[in-house]
Amino acid sequence: MNWSNEAWHSIESIYKAIQQMPFIEKLRKGTLEMEKFQYYLKQDSLYLEDFSRALAMVAAKLPDIKDTQAFIEFSQGAIAAEVGLHEAYFTTYNVKDRGEMLPACHHYTSFLKSAVATESIEVAMAAVLPCFWIYKEIGDYIYKNRIEDQNPFTAWIKTYAGEEFGESVRKAIEICDRYAEKTSMETRKKMTKAFIYASQLEFDFWDAADQLRDWKTK
């Protein structure tokens, strides 16, 4: 069995919980409170900036030039998505500025940067993969099950259900599988652990938006 199949099997309960969480359900139905979506957009913009850096750091550590080029393109895609948030969705959804990075976003990006800086290249790739893969799966799920009539979030929903994003996800999975096949069982276990942890942080990121979570010291 490919590593990616094992990894996805290990997060099935997490993915199901993401599908069923109030934020996703209300987004699908078009009933999500605008304040919560604006919170999400701000944090996502900040997240994508650091995610792009993490992907660029992975690219720099990869030994194969084709794989390096792929991760450079992933990094550029994350930057393009961040710019798109500013130029399109910030205007559409009346977001004035990004504000500060809040706990869930800070936790997630800190984990990614730490994994990329201190772990093996295999573990680093496993850590960044859930952001690709879960977003694609959830994007497809919301798009296929959306209640489109007067859903104010339709434009955003279509972003992550596109074929271009899907191709990037497939490429990232393929690269991870190829490196996992050549590494030790111990490293594969570390890859899976990083994949699970990042998937839990995906849940927490959306949950934070649903709760409008802020620093408790404020």
Side-chain angles (χ1 to χ4, degrees), residues 56-110:
M57 291 168 68
V58 171
K61 295 173 71 173
L62 284 163
D64 185 282
I65 189 64
K66 291 183 179 179
D67 297 336
T68 296
Q69 181 61 40
F71 268 83
I72 289 173
E73 291 173 0
F74 297 157
S75 177
Q76 292 171 336
I79 293 173
E82 194 275 327
V83 171
L85 282 174
H86 277 285
E87 294 183 350
Y89 298 127
F90 273 34
T91 300
T92 300
Y93 298 108
N94 196 31
V95 176
K96 303 302 182 184
D97 60 73
R98 298 192 301 177
E100 66 175 321
M101 186 176 286
L102 298 175
C105 184
H106 187 276
H107 188 172
Y108 197 173
T109 57
S110 295

Side-chain angles (χ1 to χ4, degrees), residues 199-210:
S199 299
Q200 292 169 328
L201 291 172
E202 284 286 324
F203 177 95
D204 191 58
F205 195 91
W206 278 308
D207 187 57
D210 192 51

Side-chain angles (χ1 to χ4, degrees), residues 130-141:
C131 184
F132 284 99
W133 200 349
I134 292 178
Y135 251 85
K136 176 57 179 170
E137 295 295 330
I138 287 295
D140 286 345
Y141 167 76

Side-chain angles (χ1 to χ4, degrees), residues 160-210:
Y160 291 100
E163 182 56 33
E164 184 177 353
F165 183 58
E167 180 56 34
S168 294
V169 174
R170 287 188 288 272
K171 188 180 291 185
I173 292 170
E174 184 275 325
I175 295 172
C176 281
D177 274 335
R178 188 155 26 88
Y179 280 75
E181 187 177 350
K182 297 176 182 178
T183 195
S184 66
M185 183 57 66
E186 181 181 358
T187 298
R188 281 174 68 108
K189 289 179 180 178
K190 288 182 179 179
M191 289 175 69
T192 301
K193 185 176 180 180
F195 185 83
I196 292 170
Y197 196 71
S199 299
Q200 292 169 328
L201 291 172
E202 284 286 324
F203 177 95
D204 191 58
F205 195 91
W206 278 308
D207 187 57
D210 192 51

